[in-house]
Amino acid sequence: MIQLQTAVLWRERWRSSEQKCLTLACRRGENTACGCSWEGRDFEETLHFIASSTSRMTETDTGLPTIERKPGLQIWTIEKMKMVPIPEKAYGGFFEGDCYIILYNKKSSNGFITDLHYWIGKDSSQDEQGAAAFYVTQMDDMLGGSPVQHREVEGHESEAFKSYFKSGIIYKKGGVASGFKHVETNMYNIRRLLHIKGKKHVSATEVELSWDSFNKGDVFLLDLGKVLIQWNGPDCNVAEKSRGLALARSIRDDERGGRAQIGIIDNEKDSPDLMQIMKTVLGERRGALGAATPDEKADELQKANVRLYHVYEKDDNLVVQEIATRPLTQDLLQHEDCHILDQGGFKIYVWRGKDSSKEEKKAAFSRAVGFIQAKGYSATTNVEVVNDGAESAMFKQLFKRWTEKEETQGLGKVYTTSKIAKVEQVKFDVSQLHARPELAAEQRMADDASGKVEVWRIEDLHMQPVDPKTYGQFYGGDCYLVLYTYLTSGRTHYIIYMWQGRHASVDEITACAFNAVELDKKYGNEPVQVRVTMGREPQHFLAVFKGSLIIYEGGTSRAQKNEPEPVVRLFQVRGTDEINTKTIEVPARASSLNSNDVFLLTTSQVCYLWCGKGCSGDEREMAKIVANIVSKRDKQTILEGQEPVEFWAALGGKAPYASDKRFQEPTVRYQPRLFECSNQTGRFIMTEVVGFCQDDLDEDDVMLLDTWEEIFLWIGKTSNTYERNEAISSAKDYLKTHPAGRDLATPIIMVKQGYEPLTFTGWFSAWDPYKWSDGKSYEEMKNSLGDVSAISEIAVDLNNANLNKRNADSKPASPAGSGTERTSPAYKPHPNSNVNSTSNYQNNNAPSVVSAVTNGNGAYPREVLINKTVDELPEGVDPAKKEYYLSDADFHDIFGRSKDEFYQMPRWKQQNEKKQHGLF
């Protein structure tokens, strides 16, 4: 790697930058929120911003709250410069005027993998931001330096952060520092409009209650307390509608105790009554709706532009020295230093060497922020701080090779490196594949390779059947199609391999792909399609030919051959059994030999089996089987060092060759990654799905699963034609632009929804093969809401609900139960939070929104709820929360306490009492 000798001093550029304050509101010139005075601050003062902003706090209180070592989330908000825990029911709601600290623990074989995030609300104060950063650093110290630290900015969170909140993130108005008051309010006295964005990870932002907030491409949720109206823009896709509905149901169940009703508008003309309610709240709409504003996302070319910097202080100046560009190697990271890795301005990583000074480690975040500002990047750029020896998977994948001790590589082989470089092999049991799909995925084996095999050669752009006697023999001047058929659980599955010879013509490669599509159609579009580049054959492909896979460097298997076959050929045999053996032709000269392997040298008189000193008995036995295929001549086994003169003469004389014992190099320990891929806009965009599961595979998507050794393309049933046709090109672009400089010959496997092989499903923690047939579609989820027409029967008391048209344009009055500013360190729920307040179910100040199908006060008679199956319940009743639908009088008569008292009991006690009274 050429070291770039350009050292950049950012001092002058920093001073000339207009972005001087970390508070977003201040950057817009609205510095009332933070009250800072940045004009005149020089570089050194800014560099130490976080430390100085927290110094007042640390003089009086350096204690941290109790941190539980348990899997999952723990969240704190910063209140009066202290960390205050928030209850789990409030998770996912973030006030724009606050800062939060989020800790996420994930179980691993060695304990926990921990991520620490500090989240900055757009209206939060400078001091709160500094306190949050300070606490994250302190928590990192307390946890032994193992957590990965993240800086998150509202609206620009990392995919990892979004993945924690499956139902979505809601941004709420308010916060301590912003001057807003946190309000304790009746849960039904609500009127707000939420703008919902995202297909995989949803966020909802509270926007102005006006038609001006709407557009044609997004989902909007009008929240009126007892009624939630989901308005779907005409350009929305099914996935966006489904995620919006999931968020609406979450609000109904968690915030409203299951007692709100949800109405959905897919087409305004088909929902006149719901539209009437919206018009009453928002007024008449004037003018056409605008198009949705596309999300600002970095394309893969931008993300591939990785640069590594050494950052240090010299004479009170911060020196940023660029030392390398893509592809990066692990040895560039020096343990005594701290480095910044810039991923094209998309994300900034700070790597802290284990031998770097304590001061350097503490300055990680401030240096990253300084770097962002000096480079002129967006203030919302994500920052991730990783520690030497505890790097995140996202960080490692930016390097061409990342090695760790005691890694597993290859089919059924566990390698341990010792002083004599002994390679220990452990047999692989194929019978475990179906019982352990994760093993099938790791070993890249769809089945035990005992299925039916058919092979065609592409000849004159058409498929020509290959003689079964020659199955397994592939020539570098040809292209082949291999159809593999096998049974799993009584169901037939197909795999089409497209093998492309290194010397095949472009026309033949194109014809191979075209014929694969035709063969795919013949079998009902069910087969998995695998692109195989010569020399990069996947494991299952080897196993299909039972150890007899032989690859000739050039030539063709056609009957009419243009060139005669060479008299002398040399083949290298690698493998120990029928599952993992492959034979490849190499140049017929002595320098091609290797002491670790077995080679076959074929001549006009004899076939030599040359056994290197490092080969095993199993490798020799497999070579004997192959020798009978490549030559009908007499076989002569010779050991390294005992070669006859004729052997060397056939190779053109003796020459040096590889004779050292082979060290088994560990590969990158790669965590599989799932992406939604799109290039419809002309820019190749990949959106990662962190913590993925089967539910993230939406029917209208094309998804890419990267397992390093293979690339899977998952094609949803209703994905659009353009993205289906461009899927292979997207995968190739992904490999080309990968920061680690990936091998472009990596196998690309196309998988159709409903026909996923074990090699794909095994990468998912839980896979339901009946999901596509039994899972609920968007329309089914919508219908499960109950009789949607019931909402049209709702009598809305406009006066009580304060929804009069004459007040629509006026500023809404403070809600009933006006709140008080937070003054106690103990957490109090914010307005509209996910805290399940159970009081005031029939509050007189709430909007009088009552369905005609109930008894008039929003409740059902007890006889229609007790001891009733799901099918027997009234439409719209949540079977898991039947007691919610009782009147207050019936509830007290049955349980002997009020609803408020009941819901303060532990959940297990609630469940027991519900069972006793037939309401479970």
Side-chain angles (χ1 to χ4, degrees):
M1 185 66 63
I2 299 175
Q3 181 170 341
L4 302 178
Q5 299 297 330
T6 56
V8 183
L9 293 177
W10 295 106
R11 182 187 185 100
E12 294 304 319
R13 189 168 179 181
W14 179 284
R15 283 176 168 169
S16 64
S17 172
E18 295 180 357
Q19 295 181 336
K20 295 184 172 64
C21 177
L22 295 180
T23 306
L24 300 183
C26 186
R27 288 195 193 95
R28 297 191 298 268
E30 304 161 1
N31 58 359
T32 54
C34 64
C36 71
S37 176
W38 280 78
E39 200 61 44
R41 280 197 184 184
D42 64 13
F43 177 81
E44 290 76 14
E45 290 176 294
T46 307
L47 179 65
H48 298 291
F49 158 67
I50 293 177
S52 63
S53 66
T54 55
S55 60
R56 297 187 300 276
M57 176 187 65
T58 57
E59 290 173 0
T60 58
D61 184 7
T62 58
L64 291 170
T66 301
I67 300 174
E68 298 182 57
R69 296 294 285 171
K70 64 178 183 179
L73 279 176
Q74 297 174 63
I75 303 180
W76 298 264
T77 185
I78 301 299
E79 185 176 310
K80 292 189 176 181
M81 307 303 285
K82 294 183 180 180
M83 290 175 60
V84 178
I86 67 173
E88 288 188 23
K89 292 229 173 182
Y91 288 3
F94 294 89
F95 279 81
E96 296 178 336
D98 288 343
C99 289
Y100 295 80
I101 293 174
I102 296 90
L103 180 145
Y104 180 74
N105 280 326
K106 181 181 179 181
K107 278 190 175 181
S108 70
S109 57
N110 298 323
F112 287 108
I113 297 173
T114 303
D115 285 87
L116 276 171
H117 305 253
Y118 77 94
W119 184 90
I120 300 172
K122 68 178 184 180
D123 297 318
S124 61
S125 72
Q126 174 183 330
D127 283 346
E128 280 191 320
Q129 293 175 31
F134 172 80
Y135 275 126
V136 165
T137 303
Q138 295 294 100
M139 292 171 73
D140 177 71
D141 289 342
M142 188 178 76
L143 295 172
S146 62
V148 175
Q149 302 171 50
H150 309 258
R151 172 181 175 266
E152 312 281 357
V153 178
E154 178 185 339
H156 301 270
E157 295 85 356
S158 65
E159 297 301 323
F161 182 90
K162 295 175 185 176
S163 71
Y164 303 150
F165 308 98
K166 298 301 183 184
S167 297
I169 296 171
I170 301 178
Y171 305 124
K172 302 178 180 181
K173 301 292 184 185
V176 174
S178 65
F180 288 89
K181 291 186 176 181
H182 293 267
V183 183
E184 302 289 351
T185 183
N186 182 291
M187 66 165 62
Y188 295 128
N189 198 6
I190 294 167
R191 189 175 61 170
R192 63 177 175 175
L193 179 64
L194 297 176
H195 180 190
I196 301 173
K197 290 185 72 69
K199 288 177 61 178
K200 299 294 183 239
H201 302 310
V202 174
S203 64
T205 306
E206 192 172 337
V207 294
E208 182 186 359
L209 206 61
S210 165
W211 284 113
D212 294 338
S213 300
F214 286 71
N215 65 62
K216 293 189 292 187
D218 291 329
V219 176
F220 292 81
L221 189 65
L222 180 61
D223 185 357
L224 301 176
K226 282 194 175 180
V227 175
L228 298 162
I229 300 177
Q230 179 177 330
W231 183 94
N232 297 324
D235 296 340
C236 286
N237 59 43
V238 174
E240 291 169 326
K241 295 176 183 179
S242 298
R243 297 294 190 269
L245 178 53
L247 181 63
R249 292 170 67 173
S250 175
I251 293 173
R252 178 196 66 184
D253 297 338
D254 295 338
E255 294 190 21
R256 313 290 150 74
R259 302 195 62 183
Q261 295 197 51
I262 299 173
I264 297 178
I265 300 175
D266 279 320
N267 187 323
E268 292 184 351
K269 293 180 180 179
D270 296 336
S271 307
D273 296 300
L274 292 175
M275 284 303 300
Q276 183 57 46
I277 295 176
M278 292 193 69
K279 290 175 182 178
T280 303
V281 177
L282 304 170
E284 289 291 335
R285 187 169 66 215
R286 295 177 176 83
L289 293 170
T293 303
D295 295 330
E296 293 183 6
K297 292 185 178 179
D299 61 27
E300 296 309 292
L301 286 173
Q302 178 184 343
K303 294 179 188 177
N305 184 24
V306 292
R307 296 176 183 272
L308 186 67
Y309 297 86
H310 178 207
V311 184
Y312 58 97
E313 290 185 31
K314 181 179 180 181
D315 299 330
D316 295 329
N317 289 319
L318 184 70
V319 180
V320 183
Q321 181 180 17
E322 182 177 322
I323 58 175
T325 58
R326 170 194 179 203
L328 303 178
T329 54
Q330 188 179 358
D331 59 348
L332 292 167
L333 301 172
Q334 301 300 310
H335 298 299
E336 64 273 10
D337 293 328
C338 286
H339 294 275
I340 284 180
L341 193 157
D342 179 2
Q343 194 179 3
F346 164 72
K347 190 169 186 176
I348 302 298
Y349 294 86
V350 182
W351 183 86
R352 307 190 300 186
K354 61 184 179 182
D355 297 328
S356 60
S357 68
K358 191 173 183 180
E359 290 71 22
E360 281 188 305
K361 291 177 180 177
K362 284 188 175 181
F365 274 122
S366 60
R367 285 184 173 176
V369 173
F371 180 85
I372 289 169
Q373 293 185 343
K375 292 279 280 184
Y377 292 152
S378 168
T380 60
T381 302
N382 286 122
V383 175
E384 181 174 306
V385 177
V386 296
N387 294 308
D388 188 354
E391 295 85 357
S392 66
M394 299 291 287
F395 181 81
K396 292 182 213 175
Q397 62 89 25
L398 297 174
F399 291 77
K400 187 172 183 62
R401 180 176 297 278
W402 191 277
T403 59
E404 297 184 67
K405 295 179 180 179
E406 298 179 357
E407 292 192 315
T408 301
Q409 180 185 31
L411 183 62
K413 298 180 181 179
V414 179
Y415 296 99
T416 55
T417 305
S418 64
K419 292 182 180 179
I420 58 171
K422 178 68 176 178
V423 177
E424 178 186 354
Q425 299 182 1
V426 180
K427 290 288 185 180
F428 167 63
D429 184 2
V430 295
S431 65
Q432 300 179 38
L433 290 175
H434 292 289
R436 296 178 57 197
E438 72 281 2
L439 180 65
E442 290 172 2
Q443 305 300 345
R444 300 179 294 286
M445 292 287 290
D447 75 334
D448 60 3
S450 62
K452 178 184 176 183
V453 181
E454 299 172 80
V455 183
W456 295 267
R457 180 182 57 257
I458 301 301
E459 189 170 333
D460 296 328
L461 308 185
H462 296 287
M463 294 167 58
Q464 181 68 32
V466 171
D467 185 349
K469 294 179 181 178
T470 64
Y471 279 6
Q473 299 180 47
F474 293 83
Y475 289 78
D478 288 333
C479 286
Y480 299 83
L481 286 176
V482 178
L483 175 65
Y484 179 75
T485 307
Y486 64 104
L487 286 173
T488 300
S489 302
R491 181 179 176 182
T492 303
H493 293 262
Y494 308 95
I495 301 176
I496 298 174
Y497 289 104
M498 296 170 280
W499 191 90
Q500 302 171 357
R502 184 179 294 119
H503 307 294
S505 69
V506 174
D507 287 344
E508 286 177 322
I509 293 173
T510 303
C512 184
F514 175 80
N515 282 280
V517 172
E518 295 302 308
L519 188 61
D520 183 87
K521 290 179 181 177
K522 179 180 177 181
Y523 289 92
N525 294 316
E526 295 182 13
V528 171
Q529 296 182 35
V530 185
R531 186 201 69 158
V532 180
T533 303
M534 177 176 168
R536 286 302 308 272
E537 292 76 17
Q539 192 63 57
H540 187 259
F541 189 81
L542 271 62
V544 161
F545 296 103
K546 306 293 188 292
S548 300
L549 178 62
I550 303 167
I551 299 173
Y552 296 87
E553 176 58 33
T556 176
S557 60
R558 302 179 189 186
Q560 302 296 326
K561 299 184 180 182
N562 297 326
E563 299 178 2
E565 294 186 0
V567 176
V568 178
R569 308 185 90 149
L570 183 64
F571 299 88
Q572 183 180 26
V573 184
R574 298 285 302 276
T576 58
D577 54 35
E578 291 186 349
I579 293 176
N580 61 17
T581 297
K582 177 169 71 172
T583 301
I584 59 174
E585 184 177 6
V586 295
R589 50 178 177 261
S591 59
S592 298
L593 298 173
N594 188 309
S595 296
N596 296 282
D597 297 320
V598 179
F599 287 78
L600 304 176
L601 177 63
T602 65
T603 69
S604 57
Q605 286 84 31
V606 68
C607 175
Y608 294 102
L609 276 77
W610 184 86
C611 302
K613 294 178 180 178
C615 72
S616 68
D618 288 339
E619 289 172 320
R620 290 193 291 270
E621 290 303 313
M622 292 307 301
K624 291 177 183 178
I625 295 173
V626 176
N628 290 324
I629 300 174
V630 299
S631 176
K632 302 303 179 185
R633 306 291 181 183
D634 290 338
K635 311 301 184 297
Q636 182 177 343
T637 300
I638 56 177
L639 302 179
E640 182 179 5
Q642 302 177 19
E643 299 88 355
V645 174
E646 294 81 7
F647 177 84
W648 295 117
L651 291 175
K654 288 186 177 182
Y657 57 85
S659 58
D660 294 335
K661 288 187 177 180
R662 178 179 291 131
F663 285 81
Q664 188 66 42
E665 290 188 11
T667 57
V668 177
R669 177 173 289 172
Y670 193 79
Q671 179 177 326
R673 305 172 69 195
L674 183 70
F675 298 87
E676 177 190 357
C677 47
S678 171
N679 54 6
Q680 282 187 297
T681 61
R683 297 166 64 230
F684 181 49
I685 303 294
M686 302 285 290
T687 305
E688 183 162 10
V689 183
V690 179
F692 63 84
C693 63
Q694 187 181 1
D695 289 338
D696 292 311
L697 301 175
D698 288 319
E699 294 193 350
D700 60 346
D701 279 341
V702 172
M703 307 293 290
L704 185 148
L705 178 67
D706 181 5
T707 67
W708 189 267
E709 293 291 336
E710 297 168 331
I711 300 292
F712 290 91
L713 285 166
W714 183 87
I715 312 296
K717 285 182 180 177
T718 59
S719 57
N720 69 61
T721 304
Y722 178 86
E723 290 185 347
R724 285 200 304 272
N725 293 340
E726 295 297 316
I728 294 293
S729 295
S730 297
K732 291 179 180 177
D733 287 342
Y734 173 76
L735 289 171
K736 287 177 184 176
T737 58
H738 198 284
R742 297 284 288 279
D743 186 348
L744 301 184
T746 300
I748 298 173
I749 303 170
M750 187 179 293
V751 176
K752 279 63 160 244
Q753 176 187 334
Y755 302 98
E756 297 83 359
L758 285 175
T759 48
F760 178 83
T761 62
W763 295 108
F764 293 76
S765 57
W767 185 270
D768 178 8
Y770 304 104
K771 172 180 170 59
W772 312 127
S773 56
D774 296 344
K776 286 188 176 182
S777 66
Y778 165 70
E779 292 298 328
E780 289 170 332
M781 287 193 295
K782 190 168 76 168
N783 293 335
S784 72
L785 296 174
D787 186 5
V788 179
S789 64
I791 295 184
S792 67
E793 302 173 18
I794 292 174
V796 182
D797 186 337
L798 299 180
N799 291 320
N800 289 345
N802 194 24
L803 301 178
N804 298 16
K805 187 173 181 180
R806 64 176 180 272
N807 293 332
D809 297 329
S810 64
K811 186 176 180 180
S814 298
S818 59
T820 57
E821 191 172 359
R822 292 193 299 176
T823 57
S824 169
Y827 180 81
K828 295 181 181 178
H830 296 312
N832 313 336
S833 71
N834 289 341
V835 180
N836 185 10
S837 171
T838 56
S839 60
N840 299 320
Y841 266 82
Q842 303 298 325
N843 189 285
N844 293 329
N845 292 324
S848 178
V849 184
V850 182
S851 172
V853 299
T854 65
N855 61 17
N857 63 358
Y860 289 93
R862 65 172 75 185
E863 55 269 17
V864 304
L865 300 170
I866 294 177
N867 294 322
K868 298 296 182 184
T869 64
V870 174
D871 295 334
E872 296 171 332
L873 289 171
E875 291 184 349
V877 170
D878 185 344
K881 301 175 180 178
K882 290 188 281 190
E883 77 283 355
Y884 284 124
Y885 301 89
L886 291 168
S887 67
D888 288 343
D890 282 346
F891 192 98
H892 195 281
D893 184 47
I894 293 171
F895 292 100
R897 55 176 58 85
S898 68
K899 290 179 179 178
D900 194 38
E901 294 169 335
F902 179 80
Y903 293 116
Q904 290 176 6
M905 294 166 51
R907 182 174 291 274
W908 66 270
K909 282 190 176 181
Q910 296 178 29
Q911 304 288 33
N912 284 344
E913 292 206 12
K914 285 162 65 175
K915 289 177 183 178
Q916 293 173 13
H917 300 292
L919 288 164
F920 182 70

